[in-house]
Amino acid sequence: MRKENHTLVSEFIFQGFSSFHEHQLTFFVVFLALYILTLAGNAIIVTIIGLDRHLHTPMYFFLSMLSASETLYTLVIIPRMLFNLIGLSQPISLTGCATQMFFFISLAINNCFLLTAMGYDRYVAICNPLRYSVIMSKRVCAQLVWGACSIGLIVAVTQVSAVFRLPFCATKVAHFFCDIRPVMKLSCIDTTVNEILTLIISVLVILIPMGLVFISYILIISAILKIASAEGRKKAFATCASHLTVVIVHYGCASIAYLKPKSENTRDQDQLISVTYTVITPLLNPMVYTLRNKEVKAALCRAIS
């Protein structure tokens, strides 16, 4: 490819859901409704946890951080996707695309490690309850959140720098946002090294936290089964059910999206998977924690009354 072609690309155009042209208005209405519910749900969680002193515990501190992170995560992607669905999408500059990818990666990884911190919190609460307040101090909670944010930022800088060093010859991104693989496909040169880097990073930031969470739950279940009373076991399981539900869906979607071989799915299948982790999964967090969590529901009732 001639060098002059490398410098012609200064902006990208999202193809979005062009394969589903006749359904785009339907998609717009559905995704807009889900987006409003996500914003409202996460805003309610952050507000209730901030106002209700009964929820000023490590578990709900992590939940409020996760809700704030999920809100920013959706703001990075969904508004532009909605404009694209009604034909108001504008080309995105290389700088704009790099910025979107940076925030997408950093917030997604931050969410993964926040879920891991929440799993550790549940492990300490159930397996070491007498020392819970000592182990999960405010300082430790702040350090865990800072660690999750730092890992996200470091990985995002590494990944975005690697992708945008590539020369680009095409402008049409076969996606509705600047995801890693669709952008790399526009490069003029072989991207094998970048694919390997992406796979290594995906394994580290998905499988390691997922493994830590499941180890925590193996230890938690082992401890719960030793509880003598059936009521005690039921209560202990109830405190973990909401988190475990979110963990399974979150890590499941991330694994399908980033750990599968790149040629395994079609473009339409990839987009549907992406919708799951960009639109549906962020809604799952407030839905699960408000509908299934008795303490949050009680706090909502107190706030309303």
Side-chain angles (χ1 to χ4, degrees):
M1 192 67 67
R2 291 179 300 171
K3 185 176 180 180
E4 57 266 30
N5 285 347
H6 296 182
T7 59
L8 287 176
V9 176
S10 59
E11 59 185 24
F12 294 135
I13 300 169
F14 295 124
Q15 291 184 307
F17 297 92
S18 55
S19 300
F20 304 94
H21 183 73
E22 65 277 12
H23 302 297
Q24 289 197 7
L25 185 58
T26 304
F27 284 168
F28 172 79
V29 173
V30 172
F31 293 160
L32 178 61
L34 293 175
Y35 182 49
I36 292 170
L37 287 173
T38 301
L39 292 179
N42 283 316
I44 288 169
I45 286 178
V46 172
T47 304
I48 288 294
I49 291 173
L51 294 177
D52 196 305
R53 59 184 179 80
H54 297 92
L55 301 182
H56 291 176
T57 64
M59 174 182 172
Y60 293 106
F61 169 70
F62 290 130
L63 176 58
S64 65
M65 292 296 103
L66 180 63
S67 293
S69 181
E70 291 276 25
T71 301
L72 294 173
Y73 175 80
T74 56
L75 284 170
V76 169
I77 298 168
I78 297 181
R80 183 176 278 273
M81 179 188 74
L82 292 173
F83 281 119
N84 187 291
L85 284 170
I86 56 174
L88 298 178
S89 179
Q90 297 293 322
I92 186 170
S93 66
L94 259 65
T95 303
C97 186
T99 303
Q100 187 186 53
M101 186 183 292
F102 171 82
F103 282 109
F104 162 69
I105 295 170
S106 60
L107 291 167
I109 293 171
N110 182 45
N111 294 343
C112 284
F113 282 93
L114 283 175
L115 286 170
T116 307
M118 293 171 76
Y120 176 67
D121 171 73
R122 292 300 81 207
Y123 160 73
V124 176
I126 292 173
C127 298
N128 206 346
L130 297 179
R131 299 190 62 226
Y132 177 73
S133 59
V134 176
I135 296 172
M136 299 304 296
S137 64
K138 288 183 179 180
R139 181 181 176 185
V140 170
C141 292
Q143 287 174 340
L144 288 171
V145 171
W146 175 248
C149 293
S150 299
I151 293 170
L153 291 171
I154 291 167
V155 173
V157 169
T158 304
Q159 189 74 76
V160 172
S161 299
V163 170
F164 284 88
R165 282 199 185 101
L166 296 170
F168 297 108
C169 298
T171 60
K172 292 185 178 180
V173 181
H175 211 357
F176 55 84
F177 72 99
C178 287
D179 202 356
I180 300 165
R181 282 177 173 169
V183 173
M184 285 198 296
K185 286 179 182 178
L186 306 181
S187 176
C188 309
I189 62 174
D190 181 63
T191 59
T192 302
V193 174
N194 294 76
E195 291 285 351
I196 293 170
L197 175 64
T198 301
L199 180 61
I200 291 170
I201 289 174
S202 299
V203 168
L204 292 176
V205 302
I206 296 173
L207 293 187
I208 289 178
M210 184 168 63
L212 292 172
V213 169
F214 285 118
I215 289 170
S216 296
Y217 272 100
I218 290 170
L219 297 172
I220 287 169
I221 292 168
S222 175
I224 290 174
L225 293 175
K226 293 176 184 177
I227 297 174
S229 69
E231 186 63 28
R233 287 196 297 271
K234 183 180 177 181
K235 186 177 180 181
F237 273 120
T239 63
C240 300
S242 299
H243 177 250
L244 190 57
T245 303
V246 174
V247 162
I248 291 170
V249 176
H250 188 97
Y251 287 123
C253 292
S255 299
I256 292 169
Y258 292 100
L259 298 181
K260 65 175 177 57
K262 66 177 181 178
S263 60
E264 188 174 295
N265 291 342
T266 64
R267 171 191 156 189
D268 292 344
Q269 289 173 326
D270 284 336
Q271 287 193 334
L272 292 174
I273 292 168
S274 297
V275 165
T276 305
Y277 66 77
T278 56
V279 180
I280 298 171
T281 304
L283 176 62
L284 185 70
N285 181 41
M287 290 292 287
V288 166
Y289 278 103
T290 52
L291 295 179
R292 291 181 57 89
N293 190 293
K294 291 181 180 179
E295 290 179 316
V296 174
K297 285 194 286 187
L300 274 170
C301 291
R302 285 193 295 269
I304 292 168
S305 63

